[in-house]
């Protein structure tokens, strides 16, 4: 096992990784921007180094400076967390070239899944179902219009290098397509440096279900069940749970097998997630693969009683998995909600200083939190400040614990999305498990309009 690990991230995920490292007696190195000098992850780590000015491009995305710190501190490995550089091919490659162990898959595998268009081709070759669409970049509006007429409206226009809903748009007709193509292409070029666009048939009101996979260097691959991640705002998840309340055992078995085939086909090693869209008839289609730890990994930990960060560290150290597919069973039900510093009506960020923070306690309640009373929420970074995770023997018990915990959660000084979360998880459709990707539009936004 490693003696010293640098965590190339910030906030709650940096704290999460540090916690496991400390339990394993691994020395931790944190990085921080000038804006994060007083952050909790800096206080938690054994060592901490300033990585630059507040903007991410000058700090948490500064590969040269991060590698300098790794060398200066004597770190042997780098854990990228999620977001930021976690799926950056150049960063993974540079870490390896510098003699560091990148705690994740190889740069080559990250690259193979980084382009959604290439990932579609790869998954099709692996025998994983994909949504009907194109297998090559769409050159211009004229070609896009021709494809849309063949697939039939509505269609999904997507950026090949996209993520977080950026560069993605549902298009209902040719007039909308002409406007959407150019706008999304420019947006994708601006955010990802790649304006490549592709198109897929639209699946109405789907469920977003993903499979957590873990694989070691010895060829062992274990699917750690699935997570339902359908409740989203602006194509970003806000509520996740495991297992899915929607899919049948038959669908689950097929989805897990497809995920194992996919991982074996690309030679994937470490923790990763394969995401699917599932239609009303439980047909499932590959959406994308995340070659890193997911924000929502705690719900999988709660139902499997595993520490996924520990498993990542062991795999990176070339150790075999300490469990098998047969030895892991689902235990109960877990739900996670993401607490954002944002206006619950507009979803716009709400920066400021947290004057009061009181986290609820109780049986089955877990927190992954990056802030405390007195913490400043700046406009430089993602506005997610914490995650509330609950576990229960049944989904009904987990829902009740979640509702009570949200009611007891106290944050002052900034706005949060807790009112939105409470309206969501107390809604009868959520309690019934009817959580499609249109949930917010169908059930939350109408309630919001009525109160104005």
């Amino acid at each position: 096992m490693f003696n010293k690990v640098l965590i190339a991230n910030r906030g709650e995920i940096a704290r999460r990784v540090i916690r496991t490292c400390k339990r394993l007696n691994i020395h931790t190195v944190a990085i921080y921007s000038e804006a994060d000098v007083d952050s909790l992850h800096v206080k938690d780590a054994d060592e901490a180094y300033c990585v630059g000015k507040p903007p991410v491009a000058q700090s948490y995305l500064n590969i040269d400076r991060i590698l300098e710190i790794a060398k200066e501190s004597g770190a042997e490995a780098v854990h990228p967390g999620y977001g930021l550089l976690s799926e950056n091919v150049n960063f993974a490659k540079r870490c390896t070239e510098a003699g560091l162990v990148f705690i994740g898959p190889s740069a080559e595998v990250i690259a193979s899944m980084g382009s959604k268009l290439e990932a579609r081709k790869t998954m099709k070759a692996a025998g994983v179902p994909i949504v009907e669409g194109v297998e090559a970049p769409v050159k211009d509006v004229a070609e896009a219009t021709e494809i849309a007429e063949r697939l039939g409206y509505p269609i999904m226009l997507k950026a090949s290098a996209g993520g977080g809903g950026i560069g993605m748009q549902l298009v209902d007709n040719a007039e909308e397509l002409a406007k959407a193509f150019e706008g999304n292409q420019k947006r994708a070029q601006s955010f990802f440096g790649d304006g490549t666009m592709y198109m897929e048939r639209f699946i109405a009101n789907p469920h977003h279900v993903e499979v957590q996979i873990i694989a070691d260097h010895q060829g062992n691959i274990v699917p750690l069940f699935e997570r339902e991640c359908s409740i989203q705002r602006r194509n970003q998840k806000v509520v996740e749970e495991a297992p899915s309340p929607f899919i049948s055992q038959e669908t689950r078995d097929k989805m897990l097998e497809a995920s194992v085939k996919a991982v074996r086909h690309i030679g994937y090693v470490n923790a990763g997630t394969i995401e699917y869209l599932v239609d009303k008839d439980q047909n499932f289609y590959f959406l994308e693969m995340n070659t890193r730890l997911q924000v929502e990994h705690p719900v999988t930990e709660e139902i499997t009683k595993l520490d996924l960060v520990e498993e990542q560290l062991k795999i990176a150290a070339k150790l075999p998995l300490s469990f098998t597919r047969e030895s892991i069973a689902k235990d109960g039900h877990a739900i996670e909600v993401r607490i954002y510093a944002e206006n619950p009506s507009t979803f716009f960020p709400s920066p400021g200083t947290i004057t009061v923070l009181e986290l609820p306690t109780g049986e089955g309640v877990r927190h992954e939190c990056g802030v405390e009373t007195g913490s400043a929420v700046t406009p430089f970074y993602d506005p997610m400040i914490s995650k509330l995770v609950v576990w229960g023997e049944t989904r009904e018990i987990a829902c009740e614990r979640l509702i009570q915990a949200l009611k007891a959660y106290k944050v002052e000084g900034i706005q949060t999305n807790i009112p939105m979360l409470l309206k969501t998880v107390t809604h009868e459709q959520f309690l019934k498990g009817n959580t499609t990707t249109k949930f917010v539009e169908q059930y939350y936004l109408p309630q919001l309009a009525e109160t104005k």
Side-chain angles (χ1 to χ4, degrees), residues 387-423:
K387 301 181 305 200
L388 169 62
V389 187
V390 298
W391 176 89
E393 293 84 354
T394 65
R395 186 174 189 270
E396 290 72 22
I397 293 172
C399 286
E400 181 57 31
R401 287 176 177 171
L402 176 60
I403 292 166
Q404 295 309 314
L406 280 171
K407 288 179 177 178
Y409 211 111
K410 190 173 183 181
V411 189
E412 294 179 6
I414 59 169
Q415 290 184 297
T416 73
N417 65 328
I418 290 176
M420 177 262 189
L421 293 172
L422 267 171
K423 280 188 169 65

mmCIF file of all heavy atoms in Angstrom, residues 387-423:
data_model
loop_
_atom_site.group_PDB
_atom_site.id
_atom_site.type_symbol
_atom_site.label_atom_id
_atom_site.label_comp_id
_atom_site.label_asym_id
_atom_site.label_seq_id
_atom_site.Cartn_x
_atom_site.Cartn_y
_atom_site.Cartn_z
ATOM 1 N N LYS A 387 -23.440 16.394 0.835
ATOM 2 C CA LYS A 387 -24.359 15.334 0.433
ATOM 3 C C LYS A 387 -24.937 14.713 1.702
ATOM 4 O O LYS A 387 -24.203 14.425 2.645
ATOM 5 C CB LYS A 387 -23.623 14.264 -0.383
ATOM 6 C CG LYS A 387 -22.976 14.807 -1.649
ATOM 7 C CD LYS A 387 -22.261 13.751 -2.464
ATOM 8 C CE LYS A 387 -21.231 12.979 -1.700
ATOM 9 N NZ LYS A 387 -20.243 12.304 -2.586
ATOM 10 N N LEU A 388 -26.230 14.543 1.697
ATOM 11 C CA LEU A 388 -26.920 13.858 2.790
ATOM 12 C C LEU A 388 -27.282 12.470 2.292
ATOM 13 O O LEU A 388 -27.934 12.323 1.260
ATOM 14 C CB LEU A 388 -28.178 14.640 3.185
ATOM 15 C CG LEU A 388 -29.157 13.944 4.133
ATOM 16 C CD1 LEU A 388 -28.518 13.627 5.470
ATOM 17 C CD2 LEU A 388 -30.407 14.811 4.323
ATOM 18 N N VAL A 389 -26.842 11.458 3.030
ATOM 19 C CA VAL A 389 -27.070 10.064 2.639
ATOM 20 C C VAL A 389 -27.813 9.357 3.770
ATOM 21 O O VAL A 389 -27.448 9.493 4.944
ATOM 22 C CB VAL A 389 -25.736 9.330 2.379
ATOM 23 C CG1 VAL A 389 -25.983 7.937 1.813
ATOM 24 C CG2 VAL A 389 -24.836 10.143 1.458
ATOM 25 N N VAL A 390 -28.854 8.622 3.423
ATOM 26 C CA VAL A 390 -29.581 7.855 4.436
ATOM 27 C C VAL A 390 -29.675 6.395 4.002
ATOM 28 O O VAL A 390 -29.691 6.079 2.813
ATOM 29 C CB VAL A 390 -31.000 8.409 4.691
ATOM 30 C CG1 VAL A 390 -30.948 9.828 5.232
ATOM 31 C CG2 VAL A 390 -31.845 8.352 3.430
ATOM 32 N N TRP A 391 -29.731 5.515 4.995
ATOM 33 C CA TRP A 391 -29.895 4.082 4.739
ATOM 34 C C TRP A 391 -31.045 3.569 5.588
ATOM 35 O O TRP A 391 -31.271 4.037 6.715
ATOM 36 C CB TRP A 391 -28.615 3.320 5.094
ATOM 37 C CG TRP A 391 -28.750 1.820 4.940
ATOM 38 C CD1 TRP A 391 -28.506 1.095 3.822
ATOM 39 C CD2 TRP A 391 -29.212 0.887 5.928
ATOM 40 N NE1 TRP A 391 -28.783 -0.240 4.031
ATOM 41 C CE2 TRP A 391 -29.208 -0.398 5.324
ATOM 42 C CE3 TRP A 391 -29.617 1.006 7.258
ATOM 43 C CZ2 TRP A 391 -29.611 -1.546 6.012
ATOM 44 C CZ3 TRP A 391 -30.014 -0.133 7.947
ATOM 45 C CH2 TRP A 391 -29.993 -1.395 7.323
ATOM 46 N N GLY A 392 -31.783 2.621 5.038
ATOM 47 C CA GLY A 392 -32.842 1.976 5.790
ATOM 48 C C GLY A 392 -33.006 0.535 5.353
ATOM 49 O O GLY A 392 -32.580 0.160 4.249
ATOM 50 N N GLU A 393 -33.611 -0.269 6.183
ATOM 51 C CA GLU A 393 -33.829 -1.674 5.836
ATOM 52 C C GLU A 393 -34.712 -1.816 4.604
ATOM 53 O O GLU A 393 -34.605 -2.782 3.844
ATOM 54 C CB GLU A 393 -34.463 -2.431 7.014
ATOM 55 C CG GLU A 393 -33.557 -2.578 8.232
ATOM 56 C CD GLU A 393 -33.583 -1.362 9.144
ATOM 57 O OE1 GLU A 393 -34.218 -0.333 8.781
ATOM 58 O OE2 GLU A 393 -32.970 -1.425 10.212
ATOM 59 N N THR A 394 -35.598 -0.840 4.384
ATOM 60 C CA THR A 394 -36.469 -0.812 3.211
ATOM 61 C C THR A 394 -36.447 0.586 2.615
ATOM 62 O O THR A 394 -35.978 1.545 3.251
ATOM 63 C CB THR A 394 -37.917 -1.151 3.580
ATOM 64 O OG1 THR A 394 -38.425 -0.098 4.451
ATOM 65 C CG2 THR A 394 -38.023 -2.495 4.298
ATOM 66 N N ARG A 395 -36.969 0.740 1.396
ATOM 67 C CA ARG A 395 -37.026 2.069 0.787
ATOM 68 C C ARG A 395 -37.936 2.993 1.585
ATOM 69 O O ARG A 395 -37.662 4.184 1.725
ATOM 70 C CB ARG A 395 -37.514 1.972 -0.665
ATOM 71 C CG ARG A 395 -37.463 3.307 -1.408
ATOM 72 C CD ARG A 395 -37.820 3.176 -2.889
ATOM 73 N NE ARG A 395 -37.554 4.416 -3.590
ATOM 74 C CZ ARG A 395 -38.440 5.407 -3.743
ATOM 75 N NH1 ARG A 395 -39.668 5.265 -3.249
ATOM 76 N NH2 ARG A 395 -38.117 6.515 -4.391
ATOM 77 N N GLU A 396 -39.012 2.452 2.115
ATOM 78 C CA GLU A 396 -39.949 3.256 2.897
ATOM 79 C C GLU A 396 -39.262 3.851 4.125
ATOM 80 O O GLU A 396 -39.433 5.035 4.444
ATOM 81 C CB GLU A 396 -41.153 2.414 3.322
ATOM 82 C CG GLU A 396 -42.088 2.014 2.189
ATOM 83 C CD GLU A 396 -41.494 0.951 1.262
ATOM 84 O OE1 GLU A 396 -40.566 0.210 1.689
ATOM 85 O OE2 GLU A 396 -41.948 0.865 0.100
ATOM 86 N N ILE A 397 -38.457 3.040 4.797
ATOM 87 C CA ILE A 397 -37.741 3.525 5.978
ATOM 88 C C ILE A 397 -36.704 4.569 5.569
ATOM 89 O O ILE A 397 -36.552 5.608 6.229
ATOM 90 C CB ILE A 397 -37.074 2.356 6.728
ATOM 91 C CG1 ILE A 397 -38.132 1.439 7.332
ATOM 92 C CG2 ILE A 397 -36.119 2.862 7.817
ATOM 93 C CD1 ILE A 397 -37.592 0.150 7.922
ATOM 94 N N ALA A 398 -35.994 4.312 4.477
ATOM 95 C CA ALA A 398 -34.993 5.272 3.994
ATOM 96 C C ALA A 398 -35.641 6.606 3.633
ATOM 97 O O ALA A 398 -35.108 7.678 3.956
ATOM 98 C CB ALA A 398 -34.255 4.700 2.790
ATOM 99 N N CYS A 399 -36.800 6.565 2.988
ATOM 100 C CA CYS A 399 -37.516 7.800 2.627
ATOM 101 C C CYS A 399 -37.902 8.589 3.872
ATOM 102 O O CYS A 399 -37.734 9.823 3.928
ATOM 103 C CB CYS A 399 -38.759 7.476 1.806
ATOM 104 S SG CYS A 399 -38.435 6.977 0.095
ATOM 105 N N GLU A 400 -38.407 7.908 4.880
ATOM 106 C CA GLU A 400 -38.825 8.580 6.108
ATOM 107 C C GLU A 400 -37.628 9.215 6.797
ATOM 108 O O GLU A 400 -37.704 10.359 7.277
ATOM 109 C CB GLU A 400 -39.520 7.590 7.045
ATOM 110 C CG GLU A 400 -40.022 8.197 8.339
ATOM 111 C CD GLU A 400 -40.991 9.355 8.137
ATOM 112 O OE1 GLU A 400 -41.738 9.357 7.128
ATOM 113 O OE2 GLU A 400 -41.005 10.284 8.981
ATOM 114 N N ARG A 401 -36.521 8.499 6.859
ATOM 115 C CA ARG A 401 -35.312 9.058 7.485
ATOM 116 C C ARG A 401 -34.788 10.258 6.704
ATOM 117 O O ARG A 401 -34.318 11.238 7.287
ATOM 118 C CB ARG A 401 -34.229 7.977 7.585
ATOM 119 C CG ARG A 401 -34.520 6.935 8.649
ATOM 120 C CD ARG A 401 -33.491 5.818 8.671
ATOM 121 N NE ARG A 401 -33.786 4.881 9.769
ATOM 122 C CZ ARG A 401 -33.183 3.716 9.948
ATOM 123 N NH1 ARG A 401 -32.241 3.320 9.088
ATOM 124 N NH2 ARG A 401 -33.505 2.936 10.965
ATOM 125 N N LEU A 402 -34.890 10.194 5.383
ATOM 126 C CA LEU A 402 -34.441 11.299 4.545
ATOM 127 C C LEU A 402 -35.291 12.542 4.784
ATOM 128 O O LEU A 402 -34.764 13.655 4.941
ATOM 129 C CB LEU A 402 -34.502 10.893 3.070
ATOM 130 C CG LEU A 402 -34.157 11.974 2.046
ATOM 131 C CD1 LEU A 402 -32.733 12.484 2.243
ATOM 132 C CD2 LEU A 402 -34.346 11.442 0.626
ATOM 133 N N ILE A 403 -36.587 12.375 4.815
ATOM 134 C CA ILE A 403 -37.495 13.507 5.024
ATOM 135 C C ILE A 403 -37.226 14.163 6.373
ATOM 136 O O ILE A 403 -37.123 15.397 6.477
ATOM 137 C CB ILE A 403 -38.963 13.044 4.913
ATOM 138 C CG1 ILE A 403 -39.280 12.651 3.466
ATOM 139 C CG2 ILE A 403 -39.914 14.135 5.388
ATOM 140 C CD1 ILE A 403 -40.574 11.869 3.309
ATOM 141 N N GLN A 404 -37.096 13.353 7.415
ATOM 142 C CA GLN A 404 -36.852 13.907 8.749
ATOM 143 C C GLN A 404 -35.498 14.606 8.820
ATOM 144 O O GLN A 404 -35.358 15.664 9.450
ATOM 145 C CB GLN A 404 -36.936 12.791 9.809
ATOM 146 C CG GLN A 404 -38.316 12.176 9.954
ATOM 147 C CD GLN A 404 -39.410 13.223 10.150
ATOM 148 O OE1 GLN A 404 -39.271 14.162 10.948
ATOM 149 N NE2 GLN A 404 -40.504 13.062 9.402
ATOM 150 N N ALA A 405 -34.490 14.044 8.161
ATOM 151 C CA ALA A 405 -33.161 14.656 8.173
ATOM 152 C C ALA A 405 -33.164 15.991 7.432
ATOM 153 O O ALA A 405 -32.556 16.967 7.885
ATOM 154 C CB ALA A 405 -32.146 13.698 7.549
ATOM 155 N N LEU A 406 -33.843 16.046 6.290
ATOM 156 C CA LEU A 406 -33.916 17.307 5.549
ATOM 157 C C LEU A 406 -34.644 18.383 6.348
ATOM 158 O O LEU A 406 -34.254 19.561 6.310
ATOM 159 C CB LEU A 406 -34.612 17.081 4.202
ATOM 160 C CG LEU A 406 -33.758 16.496 3.081
ATOM 161 C CD1 LEU A 406 -34.617 16.121 1.883
ATOM 162 C CD2 LEU A 406 -32.664 17.479 2.658
ATOM 163 N N LYS A 407 -35.674 17.992 7.059
ATOM 164 C CA LYS A 407 -36.397 18.964 7.885
ATOM 165 C C LYS A 407 -35.526 19.500 9.015
ATOM 166 O O LYS A 407 -35.692 20.652 9.447
ATOM 167 C CB LYS A 407 -37.666 18.318 8.449
ATOM 168 C CG LYS A 407 -38.765 18.094 7.424
ATOM 169 C CD LYS A 407 -39.990 17.434 8.052
ATOM 170 C CE LYS A 407 -41.114 17.274 7.025
ATOM 171 N NZ LYS A 407 -42.294 16.587 7.601
ATOM 172 N N ALA A 408 -34.584 18.672 9.483
ATOM 173 C CA ALA A 408 -33.724 19.076 10.603
ATOM 174 C C ALA A 408 -32.438 19.772 10.143
ATOM 175 O O ALA A 408 -31.706 20.330 10.963
ATOM 176 C CB ALA A 408 -33.368 17.847 11.443
ATOM 177 N N TYR A 409 -32.171 19.736 8.850
ATOM 178 C CA TYR A 409 -30.957 20.343 8.295
ATOM 179 C C TYR A 409 -31.071 21.859 8.401
ATOM 180 O O TYR A 409 -32.069 22.437 7.990
ATOM 181 C CB TYR A 409 -30.828 19.939 6.828
ATOM 182 C CG TYR A 409 -29.426 19.824 6.293
ATOM 183 C CD1 TYR A 409 -28.894 18.587 5.949
ATOM 184 C CD2 TYR A 409 -28.623 20.944 6.111
ATOM 185 C CE1 TYR A 409 -27.615 18.457 5.434
ATOM 186 C CE2 TYR A 409 -27.353 20.835 5.600
ATOM 187 C CZ TYR A 409 -26.839 19.584 5.270
ATOM 188 O OH TYR A 409 -25.579 19.484 4.761
ATOM 189 N N LYS A 410 -30.060 22.515 8.943
ATOM 190 C CA LYS A 410 -30.148 23.966 9.149
ATOM 191 C C LYS A 410 -28.943 24.665 8.530
ATOM 192 O O LYS A 410 -27.792 24.396 8.898
ATOM 193 C CB LYS A 410 -30.227 24.289 10.646
ATOM 194 C CG LYS A 410 -30.560 25.751 10.949
ATOM 195 C CD LYS A 410 -30.798 25.953 12.436
ATOM 196 C CE LYS A 410 -31.211 27.392 12.742
ATOM 197 N NZ LYS A 410 -31.432 27.598 14.204
ATOM 198 N N VAL A 411 -29.220 25.536 7.556
ATOM 199 C CA VAL A 411 -28.172 26.336 6.916
ATOM 200 C C VAL A 411 -28.652 27.782 6.850
ATOM 201 O O VAL A 411 -29.767 28.044 6.392
ATOM 202 C CB VAL A 411 -27.870 25.863 5.482
ATOM 203 C CG1 VAL A 411 -26.623 26.574 4.948
ATOM 204 C CG2 VAL A 411 -27.682 24.368 5.422
ATOM 205 N N GLU A 412 -27.818 28.707 7.316
ATOM 206 C CA GLU A 412 -28.154 30.128 7.240
ATOM 207 C C GLU A 412 -26.993 30.899 6.636
ATOM 208 O O GLU A 412 -25.845 30.472 6.682
ATOM 209 C CB GLU A 412 -28.490 30.682 8.631
ATOM 210 C CG GLU A 412 -29.754 30.083 9.237
ATOM 211 C CD GLU A 412 -30.072 30.629 10.621
ATOM 212 O OE1 GLU A 412 -29.359 31.573 11.064
ATOM 213 O OE2 GLU A 412 -30.999 30.112 11.267
ATOM 214 N N GLY A 413 -27.305 32.047 6.033
ATOM 215 C CA GLY A 413 -26.297 32.892 5.406
ATOM 216 C C GLY A 413 -26.272 32.770 3.898
ATOM 217 O O GLY A 413 -25.823 33.680 3.201
ATOM 218 N N ILE A 414 -26.746 31.626 3.405
ATOM 219 C CA ILE A 414 -26.859 31.397 1.963
ATOM 220 C C ILE A 414 -28.185 30.713 1.699
ATOM 221 O O ILE A 414 -28.800 30.150 2.611
ATOM 222 C CB ILE A 414 -25.715 30.504 1.429
ATOM 223 C CG1 ILE A 414 -25.718 29.138 2.148
ATOM 224 C CG2 ILE A 414 -24.365 31.197 1.542
ATOM 225 C CD1 ILE A 414 -24.824 28.101 1.531
ATOM 226 N N GLN A 415 -28.624 30.744 0.459
ATOM 227 C CA GLN A 415 -29.779 29.949 0.066
ATOM 228 C C GLN A 415 -29.320 28.545 -0.302
ATOM 229 O O GLN A 415 -28.180 28.361 -0.748
ATOM 230 C CB GLN A 415 -30.481 30.583 -1.135
ATOM 231 C CG GLN A 415 -31.206 31.881 -0.835
ATOM 232 C CD GLN A 415 -31.952 32.375 -2.065
ATOM 233 O OE1 GLN A 415 -31.347 32.683 -3.085
ATOM 234 N NE2 GLN A 415 -33.264 32.458 -1.964
ATOM 235 N N THR A 416 -30.192 27.573 -0.101
ATOM 236 C CA THR A 416 -29.876 26.201 -0.527
ATOM 237 C C THR A 416 -31.083 25.616 -1.253
ATOM 238 O O THR A 416 -32.186 26.175 -1.229
ATOM 239 C CB THR A 416 -29.538 25.284 0.662
ATOM 240 O OG1 THR A 416 -30.735 24.980 1.387
ATOM 241 C CG2 THR A 416 -28.499 25.908 1.574
ATOM 242 N N ASN A 417 -30.867 24.447 -1.854
ATOM 243 C CA ASN A 417 -31.948 23.756 -2.559
ATOM 244 C C ASN A 417 -32.726 22.818 -1.649
ATOM 245 O O ASN A 417 -33.504 21.992 -2.134
ATOM 246 C CB ASN A 417 -31.379 22.963 -3.742
ATOM 247 C CG ASN A 417 -30.456 21.827 -3.293
ATOM 248 O OD1 ASN A 417 -29.783 21.938 -2.271
ATOM 249 N ND2 ASN A 417 -30.408 20.754 -4.060
ATOM 250 N N ILE A 418 -32.560 22.933 -0.333
ATOM 251 C CA ILE A 418 -33.276 22.045 0.586
ATOM 252 C C ILE A 418 -34.796 22.147 0.418
ATOM 253 O O ILE A 418 -35.484 21.110 0.428
ATOM 254 C CB ILE A 418 -32.837 22.295 2.048
ATOM 255 C CG1 ILE A 418 -31.389 21.801 2.225
ATOM 256 C CG2 ILE A 418 -33.764 21.579 3.031
ATOM 257 C CD1 ILE A 418 -30.797 22.060 3.591
ATOM 258 N N PRO A 419 -35.382 23.334 0.247
ATOM 259 C CA PRO A 419 -36.837 23.384 -0.001
ATOM 260 C C PRO A 419 -37.239 22.585 -1.238
ATOM 261 O O PRO A 419 -38.271 21.902 -1.241
ATOM 262 C CB PRO A 419 -37.110 24.883 -0.186
ATOM 263 C CG PRO A 419 -36.035 25.556 0.597
ATOM 264 C CD PRO A 419 -34.818 24.697 0.402
ATOM 265 N N MET A 420 -36.434 22.655 -2.286
ATOM 266 C CA MET A 420 -36.717 21.890 -3.501
ATOM 267 C C MET A 420 -36.620 20.388 -3.229
ATOM 268 O O MET A 420 -37.461 19.600 -3.665
ATOM 269 C CB MET A 420 -35.737 22.302 -4.603
ATOM 270 C CG MET A 420 -35.882 21.532 -5.898
ATOM 271 S SD MET A 420 -34.689 20.189 -6.041
ATOM 272 C CE MET A 420 -34.970 19.706 -7.754
ATOM 273 N N LEU A 421 -35.602 19.987 -2.468
ATOM 274 C CA LEU A 421 -35.427 18.576 -2.143
ATOM 275 C C LEU A 421 -36.583 18.044 -1.314
ATOM 276 O O LEU A 421 -37.071 16.927 -1.535
ATOM 277 C CB LEU A 421 -34.096 18.365 -1.411
ATOM 278 C CG LEU A 421 -32.835 18.616 -2.233
ATOM 279 C CD1 LEU A 421 -31.600 18.575 -1.339
ATOM 280 C CD2 LEU A 421 -32.710 17.588 -3.365
ATOM 281 N N LEU A 422 -37.037 18.832 -0.361
ATOM 282 C CA LEU A 422 -38.162 18.396 0.471
ATOM 283 C C LEU A 422 -39.434 18.229 -0.346
ATOM 284 O O LEU A 422 -40.178 17.255 -0.168
ATOM 285 C CB LEU A 422 -38.395 19.396 1.614
ATOM 286 C CG LEU A 422 -37.694 19.072 2.930
ATOM 287 C CD1 LEU A 422 -37.822 20.228 3.909
ATOM 288 C CD2 LEU A 422 -38.257 17.785 3.539
ATOM 289 N N LYS A 423 -39.700 19.176 -1.248
ATOM 290 C CA LYS A 423 -40.878 19.043 -2.105
ATOM 291 C C LYS A 423 -40.774 17.797 -2.982
ATOM 292 O O LYS A 423 -41.779 17.138 -3.270
ATOM 293 C CB LYS A 423 -41.031 20.292 -2.987
ATOM 294 C CG LYS A 423 -41.652 21.492 -2.288
ATOM 295 C CD LYS A 423 -41.933 22.598 -3.275
ATOM 296 C CE LYS A 423 -42.785 23.711 -2.671
ATOM 297 N NZ LYS A 423 -42.108 24.438 -1.592
#
